[in-house]
Amino acid sequence: MPRVAKKAGAYHHGDLRRVLLDEAVRVVEREGIGALSLHAVARKAGVSSGAPYHHFESREQLLAAIAIEGFAMLTAAMKRGADEVEIREKETEAEAQLRGLGNGYVRFALAHRGHFRIMFRPELKEHFGAQQDVVEESFGMLTSAIARCQEEGLLPDGDLRPFVLVAWSAVHGASVLWIDGTLSAAGLADDGEALGAMVTNTLAMLFRRNRVGKRQK
Amino acid sequence: MPRVAKKAGAYHHGDLRRVLLDEAVRVVEREGIGALSLHAVARKAGVSSGAPYHHFESREQLLAAIAIEGFAMLTAAMKRGADEVEIREKETEAEAQLRGLGNGYVRFALAHRGHFRIMFRPELKEHFGAQQDVVEESFGMLTSAIARCQEEGLLPDGDLRPFVLVAWSAVHGASVLWIDGTLSAAGLADDGEALGAMVTNTLAMLFRRNRVGKRQK
DNA sequence: TGTACATCAGTGAACGCGCGTTCACTGATGTAC
DNA sequence: TGTACATCAGTGAACGCGCGTTCACTGATGTAC
């Protein structure tokens, strides 16, 4: 019996597109992208194997739709993280925001592994144009927070890209290492909830102690 | 015509196991793990589709063998990186080693994407026991380099795991973001060769400038 | 050095399966008047 | 409010394909004597 059945006797489904997306994400979360088939997704949604083609041109388009949705969710999660963060004592707003953004990133990745996996894979490169703007939005938030840290003298002047690179790589790397199970196997982290805070606190600390003489505004 | 053909007329192959591993890695590099099939690998090796079963119990065992090999290669690359690194002015040996290890990590990941992809995936969790020791070796090198940085006063006393986590996450994250094509799409890096140095230099700088009062030994 | 024989590492045909996708169809829904 | 009709979103059967794996086989190789 499918978990999300259409209403008994209903011929039209109502929101099959949504259900297909959800079931696909569930499969990817549990068994990986390789295990995703439209047959299986249709089965779980309780429809025939031809039905998905009224909503997605192909298996690849289904994945692309999930990726696009994922990038929007990631941006939203980062925004939320930055909005909800509380500014600590002796901390500037930019520093706090950086923590918040990173936390949102990791929180999203761990809560939505299916989306996350689908969003970051080489096969997506070609389709990148479509979601370029939403990628740039999340990327832009990170960059401008770091630029503000730099203005505040937390980081040396000059090219800020190395700092963006390290910050992004750290939250991304921690997310994938956690999802792959490597971090807990290595004894480096045992609590997904706390992972984002652990990374962002450490990064913030490295940035903060790094003050280069300039006074804070 | 297969790229790696067995010697003309030879019935026995000589080193089919090796050839199968190599071809499998090539396929994964170019088309991802999902695209890997024993049929295809056998075809490329120029043997019948049953032949691989004299060397690997199953498709999954082939992948496991590549993962094990990959972890050994990663450890070697990190060692080489640490050995070859040159100590800069005003830099301690531990700092230089940390850079070297990170550089080796990224260099390995980019030069051996196939291995790298296969090594880090959730499906491997179960088989982790087999390679636990070699994983711990590379992980141990990182940890002890950071411990030495801490002793030298580059990092605050206390739990060093957050620093290990951030350093590892940064090199790992940069590697996967590069491999996925995200970094170049974002304009954050355009040269794989220089990626490792960019990350490790930045990390080293954040660590170094972070000196907490203790004098260097 | 030669022979008998066990073992190794291939062949090639076959199996059942699930896959992506297509297609003619039909029931349900929405709209114009 | 009722009817005619276009369109939408399903069905279900079918296709060809490549897959993982098995198996009886056989040629090549290594070893004991």
Side-chain angles (χ1 to χ4, degrees):
Chain A
M1 201 186 313
R3 234 186 65 92
V4 177
K6 50 181 180 170
K7 226 176 286 172
Y11 190 91
H12 282 190
H13 191 288
D15 200 359
L16 181 56
R17 186 187 146 91
R18 181 73 258 156
V19 174
L20 292 171
L21 289 170
D22 291 345
E23 292 295 342
V25 167
R26 284 164 52 86
V27 171
V28 172
E29 245 163 49
R30 300 216 274 230
E31 302 166 57
I33 294 178
L36 182 76
S37 78
L38 286 188
H39 269 270
V41 170
R43 219 178 296 129
K44 297 207 182 200
V47 295
S48 70
S49 58
Y53 287 88
H54 287 284
H55 299 275
F56 304 99
E57 275 182 22
S58 65
R59 186 193 118 111
E60 197 49 38
Q61 288 297 313
L62 206 210
L63 287 172
I66 293 171
I68 289 171
E69 179 176 77
F71 279 109
M73 289 165 73
L74 172 60
T75 305
M78 289 174 72
K79 254 189 196 124
R80 208 177 319 123
D83 284 350
E84 287 173 1
V85 77
E86 57 182 48
I87 302 179
R88 295 175 180 163
E89 219 175 324
K90 294 190 186 166
E91 190 183 47
T92 68
E93 202 193 314
E95 279 180 277
Q97 289 224 339
L98 199 52
R99 282 195 300 109
L101 291 171
N103 245 316
Y105 194 104
V106 177
R107 207 185 307 135
F108 166 78
L110 271 53
H112 302 281
R113 300 155 183 236
H115 282 90
F116 194 67
R117 284 191 164 288
I118 294 169
M119 290 157 66
F120 295 98
R121 67 201 168 104
E123 295 82 356
L124 208 66
K125 263 184 279 192
E126 298 104 41
H127 313 286
F128 229 80
Q131 63 228 18
Q132 189 76 4
D133 41 343
V134 66
V135 171
E136 269 166 13
E137 193 180 349
S138 60
F139 175 60
M141 290 191 290
L142 181 60
T143 303
S144 75
I146 286 185
R148 278 181 13 242
C149 286
Q150 201 177 32
E151 283 166 22
E152 286 166 355
L154 296 173
L155 295 171
D157 287 334
D159 193 1
L160 55 70
R161 292 184 313 165
F163 300 108
V164 178
L165 171 66
V166 165
W168 189 3
S169 295
V171 291
H172 189 82
S175 299
V176 305
L177 286 172
W178 173 266
I179 290 174
D180 290 345
T182 316
L183 286 185
S184 60
L188 267 185
D190 43 10
D191 177 9
E193 290 284 314
L195 181 63
M198 196 165 166
V199 175
T200 53
N201 285 340
T202 307
L203 277 178
M205 195 246 264
L206 289 172
F207 278 22
R208 179 152 18 97
R209 289 178 168 264
N210 192 43
R211 209 176 298 270
V212 287
K214 279 194 204 167
R215 280 295 124 230
Q216 182 181 333
K217 283 182 192 167
Chain B
M1 201 188 313
R3 232 185 66 91
V4 178
K6 50 182 178 170
K7 225 176 289 173
Y11 190 92
H12 282 188
H13 192 286
D15 201 359
L16 181 55
R17 187 188 145 89
R18 181 72 259 156
V19 174
L20 292 171
L21 289 170
D22 292 345
E23 292 295 343
V25 167
R26 284 164 53 87
V27 170
V28 172
E29 245 163 50
R30 300 215 274 231
E31 303 166 57
I33 293 178
L36 182 76
S37 80
L38 286 189
H39 269 269
V41 170
R43 219 177 296 128
K44 297 206 182 199
V47 294
S48 71
S49 59
Y53 288 87
H54 288 284
H55 299 275
F56 303 99
E57 276 183 20
S58 64
R59 185 193 118 112
E60 196 50 36
Q61 288 297 314
L62 207 211
L63 286 172
I66 293 171
I68 289 172
E69 179 176 77
F71 279 110
M73 289 165 71
L74 172 60
T75 305
M78 288 173 73
K79 255 190 195 120
R80 208 176 319 122
D83 285 350
E84 288 174 1
V85 77
E86 57 183 48
I87 303 178
R88 296 174 179 163
E89 221 174 327
K90 293 190 186 169
E91 190 183 46
T92 69
E93 202 194 311
E95 279 180 277
Q97 290 224 338
L98 198 53
R99 281 195 298 110
L101 291 171
N103 245 316
Y105 195 104
V106 176
R107 207 185 308 134
F108 166 77
L110 270 53
H112 302 281
R113 300 154 185 237
H115 282 91
F116 194 68
R117 284 193 163 286
I118 293 169
M119 291 157 65
F120 295 98
R121 69 203 167 102
E123 294 82 357
L124 209 64
K125 263 184 281 193
E126 298 104 41
H127 314 285
F128 229 80
Q131 62 229 17
Q132 190 75 5
D133 41 344
V134 66
V135 172
E136 269 166 13
E137 194 181 349
S138 60
F139 175 60
M141 290 191 290
L142 181 61
T143 303
S144 74
I146 286 184
R148 274 171 31 230
C149 285
Q150 200 177 33
E151 282 166 23
E152 286 167 354
L154 297 173
L155 295 170
D157 286 334
D159 193 1
L160 56 71
R161 292 185 312 166
F163 301 109
V164 178
L165 171 66
V166 164
W168 189 3
S169 296
V171 289
H172 190 82
S175 300
V176 306
L177 286 172
W178 173 265
I179 291 173
D180 289 346
T182 316
L183 286 186
S184 61
L188 267 186
D190 42 11
D191 177 9
E193 291 284 313
L195 181 64
M198 194 164 166
V199 175
T200 52
N201 285 339
T202 308
L203 277 177
M205 194 246 263
L206 289 172
F207 279 22
R208 180 154 13 100
R209 290 181 167 264
N210 191 43
R211 210 176 295 269
V212 288
K214 280 193 204 168
R215 280 295 125 230
Q216 183 181 331
K217 284 183 190 169

